[in-house]
Amino acid sequence: MNPTTNIAVRAARKAGSILMRYYNRIDTLTISEKQANDYVSEVDRATEAAIIEVIRRAYPNHAILAEESGEHAGNDYQWIIDPLDGTTNYLHGFPQFSISVALQHRGELISAAVYDPLRDEMFTASRGQGAQLNDRRLRVSDQRSLKGALIGTGIPFRDQRYLADYLAMLGAMVEDTAGIRRPGSAALDFAYVAAGRLDGFWELGLSVWDFAAGVLLVREAGGAVSDIRGGNRHLESGNVIAGNLKVHQAMVKRLAPHVPEALRA
């Protein structure tokens, strides 16, 4: 791992220790609703502060974009942080959540860490150096078509303007795949695509901190990531498809008739 990926790992592990400290006493947390169906607790803020502290100690001049505290000014390097991806799962004791830490330089993702503290699984990637799970090299699956593929997704829960379109996409994907999974942590969904546990994934309306690290994981594991139309505006739009090369291509084609006009620009 390069030095910045090592810092991402260190920050994610520190955040993970905080999440696990509170996991068995969630009922003591103060929880508030940021917007409809979107919650935040003191543990989100504590883990974010811990991540930022680790980054600032190593790279005091780097910029930061964090889910809870927003933008922190800096130079051409920007860290993109989701301190608890899957907050609703965490607050319900549902065992699927993660920490996501990515670094980009002038728009190019160069380091990533996605950490599942429950399973002690650390997914990492460094640009041009591949992706790993606990130091074991990752590769996307070798599934060649949608027939028999296991696909992950995220159901719209904040902005439901395109819910009907999404349901049409879901119907199209169910047709001949092995099944659809909606675990509830996009960062882990991307990590699972990189690890070959999922053959593909799609979602609408993600925030950049949800999946920036995941993009690098999938690409360094030999997969493809695009926006919902197969273009390169995924980080900007939050409408995303990921998968191994064959499945990604097939998903773009399968979903195309159901993409709403507003998302075609």
Side-chain angles (χ1 to χ4, degrees):
M1 282 187 287
N2 66 35
T4 56
T5 305
N6 276 322
I7 292 301
V9 167
R10 191 181 307 169
R13 285 200 182 279
K14 186 171 183 179
S17 68
I18 296 172
L19 291 183
M20 295 313 297
R21 192 184 313 151
Y22 285 95
Y23 188 59
N24 290 319
R25 47 194 179 99
I26 292 169
D27 58 333
T28 68
L29 296 174
T30 301
I31 303 166
S32 58
E33 192 173 24
K34 293 190 289 186
Q35 54 181 304
N37 300 322
D38 193 4
Y39 299 92
V40 63
S41 74
E42 61 204 81
V43 75
D44 295 76
R45 298 187 178 99
T47 52
E48 183 170 291
I51 293 168
I52 291 173
E53 180 185 11
V54 171
I55 292 169
R56 282 283 185 241
R57 194 181 304 130
Y59 300 106
N61 297 319
H62 284 193
I64 294 172
L65 174 62
E67 179 177 10
E68 306 306 335
S69 59
E71 293 192 49
H72 304 241
N75 59 23
D76 289 339
Y77 289 88
Q78 184 187 53
W79 294 85
I80 304 171
I81 300 165
D82 191 339
L84 174 49
D85 185 54
T87 297
T88 300
N89 283 353
Y90 181 86
L91 295 177
H92 284 78
F94 189 87
Q96 188 80 355
F97 53 85
S98 62
I99 300 111
S100 178
V101 182
L103 175 64
Q104 65 176 357
H105 180 237
R106 297 179 179 176
E108 188 78 44
L109 291 163
I110 58 175
S111 288
V114 172
Y115 183 45
D116 177 349
L118 272 175
R119 300 172 181 85
D120 193 27
E121 291 191 329
M122 180 68 73
F123 300 84
T124 59
S126 303
R127 184 170 179 264
Q129 297 178 35
Q132 293 81 33
L133 166 55
N134 294 348
D135 300 321
R136 177 177 60 83
R137 186 69 180 262
L138 291 181
R139 293 296 297 175
V140 293
S141 76
D142 59 3
Q143 178 72 24
R144 299 181 64 83
S145 71
L146 288 177
K147 185 175 176 57
L150 186 63
I151 305 296
T153 189
I155 301 170
F157 65 97
R158 285 187 296 251
D159 182 353
Q160 298 186 357
R161 287 176 296 171
Y162 305 116
L163 181 58
D165 302 288
Y166 169 79
L167 292 174
M169 294 179 187
L170 181 62
M173 293 304 301
V174 165
E175 188 175 316
D176 56 358
T177 59
I180 309 296
R181 300 290 182 267
R182 200 279 190 188
S185 170
L188 278 181
D189 292 331
F190 274 82
Y192 283 13
V193 171
R197 296 174 180 176
L198 290 171
D199 300 303
F201 172 82
W202 94 97
E203 187 164 355
L204 304 178
L206 288 171
S207 297
V208 66
W209 46 75
D210 295 322
F211 70 109
V215 170
L216 190 62
L217 284 171
V218 171
R219 286 179 170 167
E220 288 295 325
V225 182
S226 73
D227 61 36
I228 200 72
R229 298 185 63 219
N232 60 6
R233 295 182 61 250
H234 45 285
L235 291 175
E236 177 186 348
S237 71
N239 306 313
V240 64
I241 299 176
N244 73 39
L245 298 181
K246 295 282 188 183
V247 170
H248 172 270
Q249 191 174 49
M251 289 179 71
V252 171
K253 184 176 180 180
R254 178 73 61 86
L255 295 176
H258 311 289
V259 176
E261 190 63 35
L263 302 184
R264 294 179 183 273

